[in-house]
Amino acid sequence: MGRVIRLKELYQARRRRTEKVSMEQCVELLEWNLKRSLDQYFSSPPEERSMRATQIRKLSEILEYALRLL
């Protein structure tokens, strides 16, 4: 007898796997950028620290959002 293949479910499962891998890579990049921004904050002159602190806050908010999506 024939076997029914549910193509829509297969495509959805494949897409979810691809999206998860992409999101994990995105999280890795965000973490790297956050670490780099922290290093730059501590090595920057005092007049630049406010700008760098804002950048760190924004990166951490984006990272938090991406982690919730995983």
Side-chain angles (χ1 to χ4, degrees):
M1 295 237 95
R3 189 171 152 197
V4 176
I5 300 175
R6 293 188 167 94
L7 291 177
K8 184 178 178 182
E9 292 173 7
L10 288 173
Y11 289 136
Q12 287 175 344
R14 183 179 296 152
R15 190 183 78 236
R16 281 190 295 269
R17 281 193 304 271
T18 302
E19 288 173 355
K20 187 173 193 271
V21 168
S22 295
M23 187 58 71
E24 288 170 347
Q25 291 172 341
C26 181
V27 165
E28 287 179 20
L29 285 171
L30 285 165
E31 289 173 340
W32 182 84
N33 275 306
L34 185 57
K35 289 176 187 174
R36 185 173 148 263
S37 293
L38 282 167
D39 291 341
Q40 288 177 339
Y41 172 84
F42 288 112
S43 64
S44 66
E47 59 272 7
E48 288 183 18
R49 288 192 174 178
S50 175
M51 183 259 319
R52 298 212 185 268
T54 300
Q55 182 182 29
I56 290 167
R57 180 183 52 78
K58 289 178 181 179
L59 279 170
S60 65
E61 289 173 355
I62 295 169
L63 177 59
E64 180 183 1
Y65 176 76
L67 288 169
R68 272 192 255 129
L69 294 176
L70 281 179

